[in-house]
Amino acid sequence: IIAEMTWRCGLNHTVELYPRLDFLVQKSGLDIQSVDCVFAAKGPGSFNGLRVGVSAAKGIAFSLGIPIIAVGTLEISAYAHAASGLPVCVIQNAGREEIAAAFYRQKRTGWSELKAEYLTTTQDLMSKIKGKTIFCGDFNPETGVLIRKLGKTLAIVPSQAARLRRAGFLIELAKKRFDGGHFDDVATLQPVYLRKPPISERKKP
């Protein structure tokens, strides 16, 4: 990894993304024309954030005529804890008192998905935990307290810094697929949403 950036952009995805991409390219002393493939997180996540990120990645891939590889956002968070060998449950706040969750684990045969992304509640999730499990992801402190309370000795909750989602883990996962020649279709790639975005009728014509 030559360069990496992590920041919270709030609602300014479009404004902030391209200047930072340009900064990384210049800081690395690279030419954008030398890029072999584009890696991107495909969700689940915020509607606007995913739409901007995936659209930007597809735009770069289209313009340079290079392939694209998309990796699930929850898988990226989980992979940071692969070396533990324990089941890793990734949680992300989904609104409406629900969470998005998925399970992964590093086995002798390699990194594997135990349960794909789905919507649930913290209480329902914890009621099904039967063994020691690492809980990571982007969730608020209240959710962390509830996980520890319900999970007791079975729940391992890393610090907030250790749960930070990094582009470096996206790179490691996508690089394996790149080496195997497993690419996504640039034309048909779409973000992963577990719930349709809220749409309301206009109050004024």
Side-chain angles (χ1 to χ4, degrees):
I1 299 175
I2 300 173
E4 180 184 31
M5 290 183 71
T6 302
W7 79 98
R8 288 192 178 275
C9 60
L11 301 177
N12 301 316
H13 300 89
T14 305
V15 176
E16 297 187 10
L17 179 58
Y18 283 106
R20 282 165 173 76
L21 287 175
D22 184 58
F23 172 81
L24 284 172
V25 172
Q26 293 188 35
K27 191 71 174 178
S28 304
L30 300 174
D31 182 351
I32 190 67
Q33 298 295 330
S34 68
V35 173
D36 297 315
C37 185
V38 178
F39 301 159
K42 62 181 179 180
S46 71
F47 180 76
N48 289 330
L50 290 176
R51 184 172 58 179
V52 170
V54 173
S55 296
K58 292 177 66 172
I60 295 171
F62 265 125
S63 63
L64 298 179
I66 57 177
I68 189 170
I69 296 175
V71 181
T73 305
L74 299 187
E75 184 179 3
I76 297 167
S77 295
Y79 195 65
H81 307 280
S84 69
L86 292 171
V88 181
C89 176
V90 195
I91 295 174
Q92 182 173 285
N93 289 329
R96 304 181 188 176
E97 298 185 353
E98 288 185 316
I99 56 174
F103 287 82
Y104 301 87
R105 188 172 191 174
Q106 179 70 37
K107 300 180 179 179
R108 291 182 179 180
T109 54
W111 177 248
S112 63
E113 179 184 79
L114 303 180
K115 186 175 178 61
E117 305 105 329
Y118 71 107
L119 288 175
T120 184
T121 64
T122 306
Q123 291 83 349
D124 184 64
L125 173 72
M126 297 310 298
S127 69
K128 295 178 173 60
I129 300 300
K130 305 301 180 184
K132 189 165 289 189
T133 303
I134 294 177
F135 291 87
C136 63
D138 187 12
F139 52 84
N140 56 42
E142 292 76 18
T143 300
V145 170
L146 187 56
I147 290 172
R148 292 185 179 92
K149 179 181 178 180
L150 298 176
K152 299 180 181 179
T153 59
L154 299 180
I156 301 173
V157 183
S159 69
Q160 188 172 13
R163 301 198 316 267
L164 185 66
R165 186 168 57 249
R166 287 182 48 204
F169 294 112
L170 162 62
I171 292 171
E172 290 192 5
L173 287 167
K175 183 63 165 55
K176 294 178 182 179
R177 301 175 193 181
F178 177 83
D179 292 338
H182 302 300
F183 306 114
D184 288 290
D185 188 317
V186 180
T188 61
L189 175 63
Q190 295 293 326
V192 173
Y193 300 114
L194 296 183
R195 181 190 294 128
K196 292 182 179 180
I199 300 175
S200 58
E201 295 183 2
R202 287 186 177 184
K203 295 182 178 180
K204 295 182 180 180

